[in-house]
Amino acid sequence: MATQTDIAAHLDLSDRSVRELLDKGVLPNARRGALNLDQCRVAYIRHLREMAAGRGTGPSADDLTAERARLAREQADHYALKNAAMRLELLPRADITRAVSAAFQIVRDRLTSLPARLAGPLARLSEPVEVRARLADAVNGVLVELSEERVVSTAEEHADAA
């Protein structure tokens, strides 16, 4: 017959861990100092096998099951994103940044060219209403040009080339 300390040494556990296993019913309980070393070893090994297989009970088993479920979700998300990228449903951030920057550059170039294009014609106009109308027409013209502009992302260029 063995004590809790003997069981702890034999299973490489702390006395506290042995007490917790006894309280949970994992180890067979007996009167003080009368624990069976072989029965406790077998019960502990079975408990570890159940935990490793995900069939155990208690907080650590719940943690293991939750972690496995989280890992499965992360793996599914990983493959879903990878597949979406291959179908060109998702584009790399760098490609999007380049396309947006190119679009803003086009807008800036078109709008900053307005004063030079309109300086001569507007100088000849005397009526503010005519100046406003000419400016509005020019801005609308630039907006129409911009709406017809096509900015191609790097991913689309690769897809078109293939």
Side-chain angles (χ1 to χ4, degrees):
M1 291 300 138
T3 64
Q4 286 184 13
T5 304
D6 295 335
I7 299 293
H10 183 69
L11 298 176
D12 192 29
L13 297 171
S14 67
D15 288 341
R16 180 181 185 159
S17 295
V18 170
R19 277 192 306 277
E20 289 174 1
L21 290 170
L22 286 166
D23 291 343
K24 290 179 189 175
V26 172
L27 299 179
N29 214 341
R31 62 179 168 73
R32 193 173 187 95
L35 295 168
N36 184 310
L37 192 63
D38 291 331
Q39 289 177 349
C40 288
R41 181 183 61 251
V42 170
Y44 185 62
I45 290 170
R46 287 181 180 157
H47 168 71
L48 291 178
R49 283 183 186 148
E50 290 294 310
M51 295 297 293
R55 296 184 301 259
T57 58
S60 57
D62 294 341
D63 292 346
L64 181 60
T65 303
E67 281 300 308
R68 284 184 177 152
R70 187 187 67 75
L71 176 62
R73 281 192 305 275
E74 289 293 325
Q75 288 172 337
D77 288 348
H78 169 78
Y79 284 109
L81 288 172
K82 190 173 178 181
N83 291 339
M86 287 173 37
R87 291 188 301 264
L88 296 179
E89 293 171 353
L90 295 177
L91 298 174
R93 179 182 292 211
D95 290 350
I96 300 301
T97 302
R98 276 193 295 276
V100 169
S101 295
F104 284 149
Q105 183 65 43
I106 291 168
V107 170
R108 187 181 84 57
D109 291 347
R110 300 276 169 82
L111 290 177
T112 56
S113 71
L114 280 177
R117 281 192 344 201
L118 296 175
L122 290 180
R124 290 187 289 268
L125 299 175
S126 59
E127 291 294 318
V129 173
E130 292 176 336
V131 171
R132 248 186 257 124
R134 194 66 163 270
L135 283 172
D137 288 345
V139 169
N140 286 331
V142 167
L143 292 175
V144 168
E145 289 175 32
L146 290 173
S147 70
E148 294 169 354
E149 188 71 40
R150 185 161 178 343
V151 178
V152 179
S153 75
T154 307
E156 287 176 322
E157 289 172 352
H158 292 304
D160 291 343

